[in-house]
Amino acid sequence: MTKKIGIIVGSLRKGSYGKQIAKNFMTLLPDGYEPVVIDFSQLPLYNEDLDDGQDVPAAWTEFRNDVQAVDGIMFFTPEYNRSIPGGLKNALDVGSRPMGHNVWDHKPAAIISYSPGAIGGMGGNFALRQPLVFLNMPTLQQPEAYLGHVNQMLDDDQKVSNPGTIQYFQSIVDAYVEFLDRNMA
C-alpha cells in the first residue's frame, strides 16, 4: 500500500525557494511513498463564525479533506520575522477546527526550514514546532533541517546538484520515512 506524504510549502511566492527545495526532496522519496502537494493559498482567514456547518468555505473543506487523505506531512517553511508565514499559521488553524475535528491529529511531521541567511530559518522551524505540539503531530527531531544559504543551493534548472547537499537531503528523507512508519496511527 502506498503511503501518501503531504507536502506543504509555507511561502506563497511563485518563485519560492521552498517550492523548489520541496520538489528536490520529493524525488528522494523511496518507492511506496507518494508526495502530495497540499496548497493553502486560497484559504480564507479562519473565522469560527463561518464554521457553523452552513457557511463553511469550500476551500476549507477541500483543504481539510486533502490533509485527511495523507499519512504524514513534510513542512517546508521560510522564516518570517523569527516565526512562520501568516498563511501557514492560518492553514494550521483551518485544519484544527472545528473543535474535535483536527485533521492534523497523529500525522507524523517533518519540518524543513530555509533561508538565504546563514541560520537556515531556525526561528521559523522552532515557531512551527509549537503549534504542532498542540495539534498532536509527532515531529521528527533528528536530523534537524535548517537550510541556510538556500539561494546558493539551486542551479539554473532549480535543482540541487551538490552531492553533499543531496546526501544531506536524503538523510532527512530516510529519517522521516522511518519515523513515519513507526508513528502512523
Side-chain angles (χ1 to χ4, degrees), residues 32-84:
Y33 296 84
E34 176 188 346
V36 177
V37 175
I38 300 175
D39 180 23
F40 63 82
S41 65
Q42 300 305 308
L43 294 177
L45 289 176
Y46 185 75
N47 176 344
E48 190 173 1
D49 291 341
L50 300 178
D51 224 356
D52 63 4
Q54 297 174 30
D55 299 320
V56 178
W60 289 2
T61 301
E62 182 180 340
F63 178 78
R64 290 167 176 165
N65 290 339
D66 289 348
V67 173
Q68 195 67 47
V70 298
D71 298 299
I73 304 283
M74 293 182 81
F75 291 98
F76 294 82
T77 187
E79 178 179 312
Y80 285 9
N81 302 318
R82 298 288 185 251
S83 190
I84 59 175

Side-chain angles (χ1 to χ4, degrees), residues 12-20 158:
L12 298 176
R13 190 170 63 84
K14 186 170 101 175
S16 161
Y17 294 123
K19 289 176 184 172
Q20 301 310 318
Q158 303 306 304

Side-chain angles (χ1 to χ4, degrees), residues 1-5 30-36 69-71 180 184:
M1 179 174 121
T2 299
K3 294 177 183 166
K4 295 184 178 186
I5 310 298
D31 290 341
Y33 296 84
E34 176 188 346
V36 177
V70 298
D71 298 299
L180 173 77
M184 282 184 56

Side-chain angles (χ1 to χ4, degrees), residues 1-182:
M1 179 174 121
T2 299
K3 294 177 183 166
K4 295 184 178 186
I5 310 298
I7 306 295
I8 296 181
V9 178
S11 175
L12 298 176
R13 190 170 63 84
K14 186 170 101 175
S16 161
Y17 294 123
K19 289 176 184 172
Q20 301 310 318
I21 294 295
K23 286 178 186 176
N24 281 269
F25 267 79
M26 289 188 283
T27 67
L28 300 174
L29 287 167
D31 290 341
Y33 296 84
E34 176 188 346
V36 177
V37 175
I38 300 175
D39 180 23
F40 63 82
S41 65
Q42 300 305 308
L43 294 177
L45 289 176
Y46 185 75
N47 176 344
E48 190 173 1
D49 291 341
L50 300 178
D51 224 356
D52 63 4
Q54 297 174 30
D55 299 320
V56 178
W60 289 2
T61 301
E62 182 180 340
F63 178 78
R64 290 167 176 165
N65 290 339
D66 289 348
V67 173
Q68 195 67 47
V70 298
D71 298 299
I73 304 283
M74 293 182 81
F75 291 98
F76 294 82
T77 187
E79 178 179 312
Y80 285 9
N81 302 318
R82 298 288 185 251
S83 190
I84 59 175
L88 179 55
K89 176 60 168 82
N90 185 56
L92 296 173
D93 293 343
V94 167
S96 70
R97 299 287 188 260
M99 192 62 77
H101 298 278
N102 175 15
V103 298
W104 307 106
D105 193 33
H106 292 291
K107 294 206 184 280
I111 301 171
I112 297 90
S113 61
Y114 56 89
S115 171
I119 61 174
M122 188 172 69
N125 192 303
F126 286 2
L128 182 52
R129 289 176 185 279
Q130 292 172 343
L132 298 189
V133 170
F134 180 79
L135 298 175
N136 200 29
M137 297 183 77
T139 304
L140 181 67
Q141 301 301 313
Q142 294 291 330
E144 293 177 301
Y146 312 116
L147 308 180
H149 305 292
V150 70
N151 55 320
Q152 298 172 21
M153 288 182 179
L154 300 165
D155 63 21
D156 292 340
D157 296 322
Q158 303 306 304
K159 300 230 184 318
V160 174
S161 55
N162 179 291
T165 304
I166 295 168
Q167 184 177 3
Y168 174 56
F169 285 11
Q170 188 67 63
S171 73
I172 296 165
V173 168
D174 292 347
Y176 177 66
V177 165
E178 180 183 332
F179 180 76
L180 173 77
D181 291 343
R182 248 191 352 258

